[in-house]
Amino acid sequence: MRKNSIKNIRINSEVQRELSNIIRTEVKDPRIHPMTSVVAVEVAPDLKYCKAYISVLGNEEAAKETLDGLKNAVGYIRRALAKSINLRNTPEITFILDQSIEYGVHMTRLIDDVVGKEEEASDGED
């Protein structure tokens, strides 16, 4: 199976959906922040390894604790994934912190600040 084949893309989306559901409903670790989302999943073509990109809405400490909690519960999550998805191999999951959403929110705030200052400057000229 090639990396960007239709089958691989379908497996990635199914694993992402199931991982999100497992993290949200089944994992009871108090370190895992309630606003944790699975942004993307990359399953290797041989179904042995999986990179799960996680985004946490909160401060950096909450993100670090969430990542620690997920790494601690990786065995349980893998077992639950094996029960919910029928794959030949259940991949070993590696959680990676993805801060692209936070970066996007930060950039939007900066743009809004600049636009607001320009509007104030143009209102002062009239």
Side-chain angles (χ1 to χ4, degrees):
M1 180 170 56
R2 290 191 319 263
K3 185 170 183 169
N4 290 325
S5 68
I6 294 171
K7 183 178 178 185
N8 195 309
I9 292 170
R10 198 176 319 136
I11 288 172
N12 287 344
S13 64
E14 187 67 26
V15 169
Q16 179 180 354
R17 186 180 319 113
E18 289 300 324
L19 272 179
S20 178
N21 188 30
I22 291 167
I23 291 170
R24 185 181 61 242
T25 60
E26 296 182 27
V27 179
K28 303 293 185 210
D29 194 329
R31 293 178 289 185
I32 297 175
H33 196 271
M35 294 298 288
T36 301
S37 60
V38 180
V39 178
V41 169
E42 292 177 3
V43 179
D46 62 355
L47 304 177
K48 298 278 186 192
Y49 302 99
C50 169
K51 292 180 185 176
Y53 295 93
I54 304 296
S55 176
V56 180
L57 191 64
N59 57 10
E60 276 194 38
E61 187 168 325
K64 189 175 187 304
E65 285 185 10
T66 298
L67 207 55
D68 289 342
L70 288 172
K71 285 179 181 177
N72 192 31
V74 73
Y76 175 79
I77 293 171
R78 185 176 181 200
R79 194 167 41 254
L81 186 65
K83 287 181 183 177
S84 62
I85 296 180
N86 187 16
L87 292 174
R88 181 180 28 189
N89 297 322
T90 303
E92 291 181 27
I93 304 167
T94 304
F95 291 105
I96 301 169
L97 189 61
D98 182 28
Q99 297 176 328
S100 61
I101 294 175
E102 290 180 29
Y103 180 74
V105 169
H106 176 68
M107 292 306 288
T108 303
R109 282 191 196 129
L110 292 176
I111 292 170
D112 289 344
D113 289 346
V114 169
V115 169
K117 289 178 183 176
E118 286 180 0
E119 287 177 356
E120 288 175 8
S122 66
D123 288 345
E125 292 175 2
D126 290 338

